Amino acid sequence: MALRFSANLSWLFPELPALPARLEAAAAAGFGAVEAAWPAGCPAQELRAAAERARVRIALLNTPPGDQEAGELGLAAVPGRQAAFRQGLEAAVHYARAVGCPRIHVMAGRVPLGTDRAAVAGEMETTFIENLRYTADLLSQEDMIGLLEPINNRITDPRYYLNTPHQAAAILEKVGRPNLKLQLDLFHCQIMDGNLSRNLETYFPLIGHIQIAQVPGRHEPDSPGELNFPYIFELLESLGYAGYVGCEYAPKGDTLEGLGWLRSYWESRGLQHGGTSMAAK
């Protein structure tokens, strides 16, 4: 089965200032789904109306980052911020419900400034597990999925708490809730561990969402870099991956001109613009 791709509106079409306009551009480019980080400043009704007009699904949103001026990027694993996390989670659920989004990336957050990672690791894991159980209970009432994304601490974010699929899988096992899954961004996974074929096979039962970008530039999948995306796409197809593949990369130039890799993928699978079967027409 051919893969389904989601345009990350926090990264693609940066020439357009507002999320609804980016959504419409993604739909015109052939995407059937979009995703975004926390959509601050965009009322839910505006995004939902744009999605309905364009007949595009909203596949994924993040929980709010917290106090960004204070250096926060997520709160789920941050000790002492449990009340703020729950408030932000409830806001994310309310927004996701309003726009028809079934997945929420529960951002773990950063090791607090002035603390040693090893010294606070145990407390952060305990906080994370408690907050994730609360999250799973809340999301189960909404028929939503919570996602954990490891973010590399070698290049992108040295203080981020959750860094590898192995760490995320261990936490998911301790939490033990079926509506929490792994969000595997292959950009971060390659930087932290490589071994993508085996990692995809090993963690496949836990995966609820995948994101892509070339390494190390974090540009289009067909830009120069370490990852062989035609092979990765074939591997995901062979594994039977039925979720979305989120395009979370920084276009090297014009977003639309940089989507040649996606048009080539559709053509190679006998699909037309938008990923629909030619035989269906």
Side-chain angles (χ1 to χ4, degrees):
M1 185 175 67
L3 301 175
R4 299 184 299 165
F5 293 89
S6 170
N8 193 300
L9 304 182
S10 301
W11 290 75
L12 303 188
F13 305 100
E15 63 275 9
L16 299 173
L19 287 185
R22 294 183 184 190
L23 183 150
E24 291 165 3
F31 285 99
V34 299
E35 59 191 62
W38 177 242
C42 179
Q45 62 269 27
E46 290 186 18
L47 193 61
R48 183 182 185 110
E52 289 176 346
R53 284 194 304 270
R55 298 182 180 181
V56 165
R57 294 187 178 187
I58 299 172
L60 170 72
L61 296 170
N62 288 2
T63 51
D67 186 349
Q68 290 183 286
E69 291 185 4
E72 291 182 330
L73 189 67
L75 299 173
V78 182
R81 295 288 277 151
Q82 288 91 328
F85 166 74
R86 292 186 179 195
Q87 184 178 7
L89 175 66
E90 289 167 8
V93 168
H94 180 79
Y95 196 104
R97 185 196 308 126
V99 300
C101 175
R103 300 171 194 83
I104 295 177
H105 167 208
V106 185
M107 299 198 73
R110 290 169 168 154
V111 176
L113 280 169
T115 62
D116 177 71
R117 177 184 290 269
V120 298
E123 185 182 6
M124 291 192 75
E125 181 176 289
T126 298
T127 302
F128 201 19
I129 290 171
E130 290 176 355
N131 280 332
L132 288 173
R133 287 178 178 151
Y134 177 86
T135 298
D137 290 343
L138 184 61
L139 295 185
S140 67
Q141 301 171 28
E142 305 285 344
D143 197 25
M144 293 179 183
I145 297 292
L147 296 166
L148 280 63
E149 181 189 9
I151 294 176
N152 83 81
N153 64 346
R154 290 179 170 167
I155 297 174
T156 302
D157 198 326
R159 287 176 33 236
Y160 204 76
Y161 168 71
L162 187 67
N163 307 127
T164 68
H166 178 78
Q167 181 189 7
I171 288 171
L172 285 170
E173 184 176 4
K174 291 177 181 178
V175 175
R177 300 296 173 87
N179 63 335
L180 298 180
K181 298 285 186 180
L182 174 64
Q183 179 174 319
L184 193 64
D185 187 323
L186 300 186
F187 171 81
H188 296 302
C189 188
Q190 169 69 5
I191 290 170
M192 291 303 295
D193 194 45
N195 197 23
L196 291 187
S197 297
R198 181 59 60 87
N199 278 325
L200 281 167
E201 292 165 357
T202 299
Y203 298 113
F204 188 76
L206 299 177
I207 293 174
H209 193 70
I210 287 173
Q211 292 175 324
I212 58 171
Q214 188 56 272
V215 178
R218 209 169 188 178
H219 299 306
E220 285 87 348
D222 63 347
S223 60
E226 300 173 13
L227 299 185
N228 179 354
F229 277 103
Y231 166 79
I232 290 171
F233 294 157
E234 289 181 3
L235 175 60
L236 289 172
E237 290 170 346
S238 71
L239 290 170
Y241 181 65
Y244 286 103
V245 177
C247 302
E248 187 177 280
Y249 61 78
K252 293 189 75 173
D254 178 79
T255 300
L256 200 57
E257 291 179 3
L259 288 173
W261 66 271
L262 182 56
R263 292 187 287 270
S264 295
Y265 174 83
W266 286 333
E267 291 170 5
S268 71
R269 301 309 190 269
L271 305 173
Q272 58 185 7
H273 179 83
T276 56
S277 172
M278 292 180 181
K281 290 292 182 180

